[in-house]
Amino acid sequence: VSERREWRPVVYRKCTDLLWLFLFFIFWAGLMFITGYAVMAGAAERLVLGYDSFGNICGRKNSPVKGAPLSGQDMTNKKYVFFLNSCNLEMQSLKISSISLCVSSCPQEQLSSLEDLQSFARNNGSYLCVYNLNVSSYTLNPKASELCPTLPVPPSNSFPLFNRCVPQNPECYSKYASVLINMVNEMDALHRILAGILAGRDTVIGLSALSLAFSFILVLTFRFIRTLLVHTLIALVVFGLLFVSGVLWWLYYDYRNDPSTELETEKENIRFLLGYAIFSTIVTVVLLSLMLVLRKRLQFTVQLFQIVNKIISRIPFLLFQPLWSFLILVVFWVFWIAVLLSLGTAGTAQITSGGQVEYRALSGIHYMAWYHFVGLIWTSEFILACQQMTIAGALVTCYFNRNKNSPPRHPVLSSISVLFCYHLGTVVKGSFLITILRIPRIFLLYLYNFLKQKESACAKCLFKCCFCWFWCLERCLRYFNQHAYTTTAVNGTNFCTSAKDAVFILAKNSAKLASITCFGGFIIFLGKVFVVCFTVFGGLMAFNYHRELQAWVVPLLLVGFFAYVVSHSFLSVFEVTVDVLFLCFAIDIETNDGSAEKPYFMDQELLTFVNQSNRLTEGQKHRSMKPFQDNEDGTELQPMV
């Protein structure tokens, strides 16, 4: 920095990084195009509800398909898919050759003749012959043998996931299951994951609500934190880490030794469980080691959060800011998942012989899915960055206020208005940089899964090093992004200028503030681990009871990611407050000297806390160096007597 920066909140501002805001609008125009296409061409219900051979989705009212006379029927009361030739199914290009119908109930007993089919239809209201054949014509129409199921019809029960009537006859069941297994194994990963999400949607929603409740509890814990609460939180985190790691290893052992594992989804579950177990074990060992090393700083952590809570008490509405961000994120995620489900089933209806309908996916769907996935990352990061900028603006306004007994009116609303009027482009640029770092990690993960059959130890090591490098780079960028947003809130400068000024001021004061902010951030991170651990444990218990044809480990990963984002969204109030507070402290001591002409903006309590923490750090360094000094004195050679 060539000249001394005048650090002070500016009143008159100008718009920053307008080009990036324009690019973000163009990107979202592309997302709207994909949304429109997915809505027009997709039908997510086909994945989970099933559909017949004539283009009707079971369990709902349908629109007619041109050229298919038996399409467009009301199937609200017909929720199950029934195959006319369930004992001799064949699969060609992911399409089961037998004609399928939507029926209201599956036959519980064997039906040996057309009279039995007719009696079953009249007694149960479930018609097992093609729709254009009247019940009274079952025994009279000469083509009834072609339009009705192959006799005898075996007894069957409805399958819970795909709503299929599964034959219970052992011979028929083995043939039916083998075809269904081959069909599921040949489905691409996108459709298997979407089917798993749809099948476990109730569990996913319940676990998301559980993570929200845990986050609320932690916000209250940090708001009224005491030494006992810190010890309790650490004990719960240790218990959660050990317990979740043990359960993951037990489930992996149980699945691996299950002789009935045939489906590709079940094999994916085993692979994911092994990865989860290894990752959880590594995280447990690292966090337990850090807790052991940093255990003596607990009292200073309590004092730190008491100072943070004193500042938050001046801006009580700051605690509600994560709630609005969370609601906006939920609305966006629901929108994103709905578009993804529709996009995964997008395709054109093609009429085949006999008026049957087939849905064939278009070639560009996967490119749209990748674009849609980038939109998920960028927009989510943008929403979280807006929250960080809002909190930083409110805290800066209150910190640089001389009269602490009379804080500014409505600092949160004022910060939001400044953000939307002047600095949205800065937030877009910061969130885009995070997205750019995440995309190579995702691409490397995709490439790693594609090439893992090569079994090259050197390639695996290289991939893992790249993952680690990108992760570390992302963490550093997130840290500097937060300080760049704070600097923008102070000086009203663009992203690059703010990042440069923030790095300069932090480099000059890193010795005074590093240990304080790091340990405060570590305790907040333990809170996030607490939410994720207990939410994932609930998911393990819930999903373990639904092993059939579900890629349930992927929804569990989605739940874990959601729990982390929710906890991060709520606890980021304290995290951002700590970072903003000490950046403002560094600016304060840089521009003021505590004299009558240049008094500090900070409270005396904050200054005392920083000085005590620095003395503790210097004392620990001195004690760690003393044994070496004593050793040097004690090894001096003495003459022999």
Side-chain angles (χ1 to χ4, degrees), residues 502-517:
V503 169
F504 177 72
I505 196 72
L506 288 172
K508 291 185 65 176
N509 298 274
S510 59
K512 297 179 182 178
L513 305 177
S515 61
I516 302 173
T517 56

Side-chain angles (χ1 to χ4, degrees), residues 9-23:
V10 296
V11 177
Y12 301 102
R13 296 174 179 263
K14 61 179 182 180
C15 296
T16 55
D17 299 301
L18 280 176
L19 177 61
W20 287 93
L21 183 60
F22 180 69
L23 292 175

Side-chain angles (χ1 to χ4, degrees), residues 39-93:
V39 170
M40 296 297 295
E45 298 97 328
R46 289 205 305 266
L47 278 177
V48 65
L49 299 180
Y51 60 99
D52 63 14
S53 298
F54 307 101
N56 299 298
I57 298 175
C58 301
R60 54 159 287 186
K61 191 174 182 179
N62 297 273
S63 301
V65 178
K66 186 177 180 180
L70 296 181
S71 64
Q73 300 195 33
D74 187 358
M75 299 295 181
T76 305
N77 297 322
K78 299 179 179 180
K79 301 179 179 180
Y80 306 104
V81 179
F82 175 77
F83 294 99
L84 297 190
N85 193 8
S86 58
C87 288
N88 293 286
L89 295 180
E90 294 181 2
M91 189 183 66
Q92 299 174 355
S93 302

Side-chain angles (χ1 to χ4, degrees), residues 78 113-141 144 147-148:
K78 299 179 179 180
S113 63
L114 294 175
E115 287 79 6
D116 292 340
L117 292 175
Q118 190 177 55
S119 176
F120 177 78
R122 288 173 175 170
N123 295 333
N124 297 279
S126 184
Y127 307 101
L128 304 184
C129 296
V130 177
Y131 307 129
N132 57 357
L133 182 63
N134 192 278
V135 179
S136 58
S137 303
Y138 280 11
T139 56
L140 303 176
N141 194 311
L147 301 177
C148 291

Side-chain angles (χ1 to χ4, degrees), residues 49 70 94 133 136 162 178 209 228 266 291 311 315 321 360 406 408 412 425 497 530 538 567 595:
L49 299 180
L70 296 181
L94 287 180
L133 182 63
S136 58
F162 292 124
S178 63
L228 179 61
E266 293 178 332
M291 290 179 197
I311 296 174
I315 320 172
Q321 180 60 32
R360 296 183 181 176
S406 179
V412 175
T497 303
F530 165 80
S567 60
S595 63

Side-chain angles (χ1 to χ4, degrees), residues 32 42 47 61 74 95 263 305 391 413 432 616:
M32 288 297 99
L47 278 177
K61 191 174 182 179
D74 187 358
K95 178 70 177 178
L263 295 179
F305 280 101
I391 296 173
L413 293 178
F432 177 77
L616 175 64

Side-chain angles (χ1 to χ4, degrees), residues 203-275:
T203 305
V204 170
I205 293 173
L207 292 171
S208 301
L210 181 64
S211 68
L212 181 61
F214 281 139
S215 298
F216 270 122
I217 293 172
L218 275 183
V219 167
L220 295 177
T221 301
F222 281 113
R223 179 66 180 86
F224 305 101
I225 198 163
R226 295 291 185 272
T227 305
L228 179 61
L229 289 178
V230 174
H231 285 286
T232 304
L233 173 64
I234 291 176
L236 287 174
V237 170
V238 171
F239 171 77
L241 286 170
L242 294 175
F243 196 71
V244 169
S245 298
V247 170
L248 284 170
W249 282 111
W250 173 75
L251 285 176
Y252 169 71
Y253 178 81
D254 185 41
Y255 270 73
R256 186 181 179 184
N257 293 279
D258 189 352
S260 63
T261 301
E262 296 181 7
L263 295 179
E264 184 64 27
T265 52
E266 293 178 332
K267 296 177 182 178
E268 285 180 357
N269 288 344
I270 295 175
R271 291 193 292 268
F272 275 111
L273 277 174
L274 177 60

